[in-house]
Every structure is written in structure tokens, then in C-alpha cells.
Amino acid sequence: MNTIVVLLDTLNRHLLPTYGGDWVKTPNIERLAEKSVVFDQHWSGSLPCMPARRDLLTGRTAFLEKGWGGIEPFDETLPNMLRKGGIFSHIVTDHYHYFATGGENYCQSFTTWDFHRGQEDDPWHSTVSDPEVPDEHYGRVRMQYERNRKRFLQEEDYAGPRTMRAACDWLESNREADHYFLMVEAFDPHEPFDCPKHYLDLYQDDYKGPLYNWPNYGDVDVPEEAITHIRKRYAANLTMIDHWLGKLLDMMDRLALWEDTLLIFTTDHGFLLGEHQKMGKNQMHVFNELAHIPMMIHVPGSEHNGSRISALTQNIDVMPTILDYMNVAIPDQVKGHSLRGLLEGRTEKVRNAAIYGYHGMAVNVTDGRYTYMRAPNAADNHPCYTYTAMPTTFRSYLGHQVQESIETGRFLPYTRFPVFKVPVSRQGEPYASNSLVMETKLYDITKDYQQQHSIQDAELEAHMIRLLRESMHEANSPLEQFERLGL
């Protein structure tokens, strides 16, 4: 058994034809779906990018104890467990966050890794002077990406296509090997939504306004024609990476890898493109467009390929599923469930609920019918702490403003490794990200999937609170999180 994981960043489930989308062109994702079991109730866990990857590689939902940051020294990761089982692992990626402060120890746990430069703010192409850009624009224009994109002279130069091509080359050069794990991770269709013009032409884009390929996060701040344009740019970027995914599927055809290779296709989270009058992520509730994500699994030789599974699953289930199929012991720390029983038709469900969210924001739970967004109990968002042995976060370090209040100790129940306990909030003081403290919401997503009308039902809310409490305890949530949420 070989295993390949294909992870596309920021992949919107609701736009895929496999999940009912009707205008975005993804023929190769559809082609993969025909060979796979499609999961209809698959959910994210920790958001955004790096927290989601820690979940995927450790089988634990970590956002209740930590936000953005590296793999911890006490984490039992998928590549490490495979190494103990004598299995070679390799990652091909253009996700540059792995190589910035706050992204430590992810790729380094693989046997080998291959990084393709140039996405977003990757400090790659070097010119002392700033590139020329239009004076008028919407959203973000960042000089480092403007430098990087000068090196994209043809489609094959873009980082996403280079990543997929490198994965094909690796499979070709290791065609005689077996019992390996390959992770193929493309940053596309993550913003900035940039690709050759012929992909945008597929969507009859006639936008004449200012440059707009990188939205600001938060409330919609552009006119309607710009929203239409950015949606088409997202679609074009997705169609480009879908085209190159097709080359990977072609290689699997040519090498007959479908016969002995478990293939898992998924994402970390979605992206708002004007829904709820919001753009992006991070600055709002974790609506379904962000948390309800696609997953497809091809099991070699399975009679169930081509079917769909409606059981509730989430991203922490990927790691134990791979270990199960590759005959490697699942660590005791893991909270996810192997999906092998579901895939083989032996079980009907693995969980009653899934929790998901950002560190320090609302904590969300779903049972597949309802979504419940439990907001902090007070405007100071207190008490809230980050627990880590590695105090790095998004391109920076934790705790500069609260140095005198940082504690150290053995605070986490699943490890004896001492960690820093870094205050995120201060009692009685307005929370630094006050806009992130939001009201509690409850939705029936069978009747209101777009989550437009929050409902008031005390009995139902009590039921969802019970699910939330149980799920938080199962995830080894720090106890102060219950106090922070008024539970």
C-alpha cells in the first residue's frame, strides 16, 4: 500500500461540481471523484492554514490550546509515525508558510521534502527597488508578490504547476518503489488569485475596473462588479490547478498506481467571496463556506469507489486513517478516528459531533444538521491562553506585550513536556481583536445551509451545548476555555 495526500489550499466545497456547484470548471476533481468515495459531511478543525496542518498531521484538534505555530516537540506526527514503521515519506509543496517563523518542523519531519518558491509573500525574487504597480487598485497589493510574479513568464513557471509537475516527476522516478507516503500540497487556489489570462477568459470576465486579485479580509469593501470579478479570478485559479492535478492523475494512470495506492484529496478551509457580506477568513464567524470542506478517498480495489458517505468526519480523522491502512500503530494522543470502517462499509459513523474554530474566537460545533457558534462570554475574552513549547506564531513571536505574565509548567494533560502559558486576554480590558468577539449563533443547516437566519430554541441550544462540552473535553481543552465561553 502506498498513500498519496493531495491538499489544495482554500478550496471552496460549494463551488465544486461534485458537491453541487454549477459554474466552476474542475473536470479533474470530478474525474477523481468518480474513482473515490466522496464525503458529504467532512469538516475542518483548527483554522486557518498552519493550525489546520497541525490537525492533519497529528490527528488532534489544537485550536483550543494554540493558534498559528509550529509542530511541538511533543507532537506525534504522521511522518514521524511512518518513519517508525519503516515507511519513506516525501512532501512536495509551494506552501511557503512552512518556511517562515511560525511554520517550524512540519516539512522537516518527512524523510525528504521539496519546496517550490514564489507564492504570496514568499521572500524569493530579490530586487531592492519596488516593482511598478497601478496607482489605483482594490484590496491588497504587496511588493514581494509583485516581485515574485515577474518570474512567472509562462504557465509552467507558476508555483502551483511546478508543484504538481514535481510530484509527477517524483512518482516517475520512484515507479519501482512501494510502501511510501507522498504529500502533494499546492497553495492554489489561495489568494492572490493570479494565473494566465486564458483561464480567466473561460469565465467571460469583462471587468474594466482597478486591479483586484487579492481581497482584504473582513466586510465587503468593493463594488458589485469587483465582487463578480474576484469570484471569476478565484474560479480561474482553481481551474488552473485542476488542470495540473490532471497531470498527476494521468501519471497514476500510466503507472497503474490506482491498484495499490490510497489517495486522499482535501483542503484546509474555504474562503468567503462576498457571502455574508464578508471577504476572506479570520475576521468573522466560521460559516459553512469556511468549515464544511471537501474530501474524497480512493481505496484501491474497493467496490465502494464512486459512492458517497454522509457520516460526520473531520480533518483529524485523516492521520489515523492513513496509519490504519499502512499498518502503523495509532498513537494514544490521537483524537481522530480511522475512517477505514466507513470506507469498507463495516461502520455507519465515527463521531457524533465535530468542533472547529480559530484560537481565541468562537468555538463551533456541528452534528451535521445544526451548527452552533458559541461566542466568548465577555468583551475582554478572558481567560484565554496559548500553550506552547515553541513561542512562535504568524511571522513573529508570542508574548512580547505580556512578558511578566508568562508562566511555564506542565499544563497539558496529554504530555509531560513543560510549555509556556502565554496570556492572550487581560481581565477587564477590551480584547485586542475586539471585532472577533461575536454573538452566539445557532443554525439549522438542513433548512438554511447559507446560515442567513439564526434560530432561537432553548432546548436545541442546550443539546448543542452538551455536544460542545463533550467535544471540548474529548479534545483535552484547557479548562479556562469553558469559563471564557460562559459554559
Side-chain angles (χ1 to χ4, degrees):
M1 175 72 74
N2 309 310
T3 298
I4 299 174
V5 169
V6 178
L7 180 70
L8 302 186
D9 200 299
T10 312
L11 182 59
N12 279 341
R13 174 192 186 277
H14 63 285
L15 294 182
L16 300 179
T18 299
Y19 288 99
D22 60 3
W23 66 279
V24 178
K25 298 172 174 61
T26 56
N28 291 295
I29 294 175
E30 293 174 66
R31 172 183 165 194
L32 177 57
E34 292 173 357
K35 292 179 174 288
S36 305
V37 177
V38 175
F39 286 75
D40 286 326
Q41 283 284 357
H42 190 62
W43 295 79
S44 189
S46 305
L47 289 89
C49 300
M50 298 318 293
R53 282 156 181 77
R54 187 179 178 213
D55 282 13
L56 280 164
L57 293 183
T58 64
R60 298 182 57 86
T61 306
F63 74 93
L64 293 164
E65 67 189 43
K66 175 185 174 181
W68 188 288
I71 291 291
E72 298 284 351
F74 47 82
D75 283 341
E76 293 279 13
T77 68
L78 174 60
N80 281 337
M81 294 307 300
L82 294 175
R83 187 191 299 269
K84 292 176 183 179
I87 298 169
F88 192 101
S89 65
H90 181 66
I91 182 171
V92 183
T93 183
D94 60 349
H95 193 96
Y96 77 104
H97 292 307
Y98 283 132
F99 302 96
T101 301
E104 298 86 359
N105 304 329
Y106 288 85
C107 290
Q108 291 80 1
S109 63
F110 287 79
T111 311
T112 53
W113 47 267
D114 182 12
F115 174 38
H116 294 267
R117 306 291 301 273
Q119 291 283 17
E120 205 185 63
D121 290 326
D122 179 17
W124 179 44
H125 186 47
S126 182
T127 61
V128 175
S129 59
D130 287 342
E132 291 186 8
V133 296
D135 292 334
E136 190 177 4
H137 64 84
Y138 293 135
R140 306 176 184 182
V141 173
R142 292 182 178 170
M143 288 301 103
Q144 184 55 55
Y145 183 69
E146 293 303 311
R147 292 184 179 93
N148 292 345
R149 69 196 301 260
K150 300 298 183 186
R151 298 182 68 168
F152 303 155
L153 302 180
Q154 55 189 353
E155 184 173 339
E156 291 77 6
D157 297 332
Y158 284 76
R162 281 189 277 127
T163 297
M164 288 296 178
R165 185 174 58 193
C168 292
D169 292 344
W170 190 89
L171 289 172
E172 175 70 44
S173 63
N174 289 281
R175 61 187 304 162
E176 302 301 327
D178 59 11
H179 214 44
Y180 58 75
F181 172 68
L182 172 65
M183 188 162 179
V184 184
E185 186 177 341
F187 201 58
D188 295 324
H190 192 291
E191 76 280 3
F193 307 131
D194 190 13
C195 62
K197 184 176 181 298
H198 63 267
Y199 288 108
L200 192 57
D201 290 342
L202 292 173
Y203 296 96
Q204 293 81 50
D205 183 62
D206 58 1
Y207 176 71
K208 306 297 187 207
L211 172 68
Y212 188 41
N213 64 7
W214 197 339
N216 292 319
Y217 290 180
D219 294 336
V220 168
D221 59 357
V222 295
E224 189 63 35
E225 61 268 21
I227 297 175
T228 299
H229 173 64
I230 204 68
R231 288 173 175 167
K232 290 180 177 180
R233 293 201 71 96
Y234 174 92
N237 213 31
L238 175 52
T239 298
M240 178 181 74
I241 200 62
D242 177 87
H243 171 74
W244 288 86
L245 170 65
K247 296 185 181 298
L248 181 69
L249 304 186
D250 291 344
M251 181 63 70
M252 294 191 65
D253 289 342
R254 191 159 71 81
L255 300 180
L257 290 175
W258 301 105
E259 299 172 9
D260 61 1
T261 302
L262 183 77
L263 190 148
I264 301 175
F265 175 86
T266 190
T267 188
D268 47 2
H269 52 71
F271 193 87
L272 291 173
L273 293 165
E275 300 90 349
H276 310 280
Q277 289 299 300
K278 304 288 184 181
M279 281 284 180
K281 55 185 188 283
N282 301 354
Q283 305 295 318
M284 66 289 291
H285 266 309
V286 186
F287 294 106
N288 286 347
E289 292 89 350
L290 297 170
H292 195 191
I293 58 177
M295 185 170 72
M296 308 167 191
I297 300 181
H298 166 80
V299 181
S302 173
E303 62 184 17
H304 300 290
N305 289 329
S307 66
R308 303 182 83 100
I309 286 178
S310 59
L312 194 67
T313 60
Q314 66 178 130
N315 64 353
I316 59 173
D317 299 328
V318 171
M319 182 256 211
T321 301
I322 293 170
L323 293 179
D324 192 358
Y325 272 103
M326 302 199 81
N327 199 29
V328 175
I330 299 172
D332 292 338
Q333 290 183 5
V334 169
K335 294 297 185 179
H337 303 280
S338 171
L339 304 179
R340 189 169 183 173
L342 287 175
L343 288 162
E344 296 177 356
R346 294 182 285 104
T347 56
E348 293 185 355
K349 72 175 184 177
V350 296
R351 61 176 66 253
N352 294 318
I355 57 169
Y356 51 96
Y358 301 100
H359 182 63
M361 290 176 62
V363 180
N364 313 277
V365 63
T366 185
D367 61 0
R369 177 175 180 181
Y370 300 100
T371 54
Y372 182 56
M373 303 169 172
R374 182 75 182 197
N377 192 47
D380 61 8
N381 200 28
H382 192 77
C384 187
Y385 299 92
T386 289
Y387 296 88
T388 179
M390 299 182 54
T392 59
T393 186
F394 185 67
R395 301 175 185 160
S396 62
Y397 293 86
L398 291 165
H400 282 298
Q401 307 303 319
V402 291
Q403 295 178 35
E404 72 287 350
S405 301
I406 298 173
E407 302 176 59
T408 57
R410 292 179 172 85
F411 298 115
L412 299 179
Y414 61 92
T415 179
R416 299 304 298 154
F417 206 99
V419 296
F420 296 102
K421 181 180 180 181
V422 183
V424 174
S425 61
R426 294 189 186 219
Q427 189 169 13
E429 296 184 11
Y431 186 48
S433 301
N434 209 28
S435 63
L436 306 186
V437 180
M438 305 154 293
E439 60 183 315
T440 295
K441 300 281 190 179
L442 174 63
Y443 297 97
D444 181 342
I445 60 173
T446 62
K447 298 177 180 178
D448 178 25
Y449 183 78
Q450 284 73 34
Q451 296 168 300
Q452 297 297 309
H453 307 287
S454 180
I455 59 178
Q456 303 294 322
D457 185 321
E459 185 177 349
L460 176 58
E461 183 174 17
H463 166 68
M464 297 305 289
I465 286 173
R466 285 193 295 272
L467 283 181
L468 180 58
R469 284 177 175 274
E470 292 169 5
S471 299
M472 289 174 64
H473 280 300
E474 173 65 16
N476 294 137
S477 172
L479 293 180
E480 73 271 2
Q481 286 282 350
F482 295 89
E483 181 181 351
R484 181 179 77 92
L485 298 174
L487 299 178

